[in-house]
Amino acid sequence: MREDLLVFERKFGVPTEMFYEAYCNGEEPADSSWVLDWSEWAASYQILQERMELFGNETRRLLQSAQVSSYIDLMERTARHESIPIAG
């Protein structure tokens, strides 16, 4: 998903965060052929933000529940493809 954002950043020459702020403020492209690109760019950024928030929440939950002892522990276990039991 980040690669998709980089494609748009290269095409339009601005960081995604700057674009998204302008987009949320109602700015629209002067070139109508860019409308679909801008919509896809904004949607991709929104989805990435939502996924990162969910990932962060789940990671914090794992740390709080003592299922992993640290971020390093989580990374090591993930790299070794060890399962981490998910508490209900």
Side-chain angles (χ1 to χ4, degrees), residues 4-59:
D4 293 342
L5 297 178
L6 285 174
V7 169
F8 288 117
E9 289 177 357
R10 288 182 187 121
K11 179 175 182 176
F12 294 105
V14 297
T16 295
E17 293 78 9
M18 289 176 64
F19 154 75
Y20 191 72
E21 183 178 343
Y23 183 84
C24 288
N25 287 330
E27 293 188 38
E28 296 181 4
D31 186 333
S32 63
S33 67
W34 292 355
V35 171
L36 289 177
D37 279 349
W38 282 30
S39 296
E40 183 180 343
W41 192 3
S44 294
Y45 183 64
Q46 289 169 338
I47 291 168
L48 178 62
Q49 294 301 96
E50 290 168 4
R51 288 182 180 175
M52 292 304 296
E53 183 178 348
L54 288 171
F55 178 75
N57 292 341
E58 182 61 19
T59 302

Side-chain angles (χ1 to χ4, degrees), residues 59-77:
T59 302
R60 284 185 289 282
R61 189 190 67 71
L62 287 170
L63 286 167
Q64 290 171 351
S65 70
Q67 292 179 11
V68 294
S69 59
S70 67
Y71 286 110
I72 299 299
D73 180 34
L74 177 62
M75 288 186 281
E76 289 173 347
R77 292 172 70 176

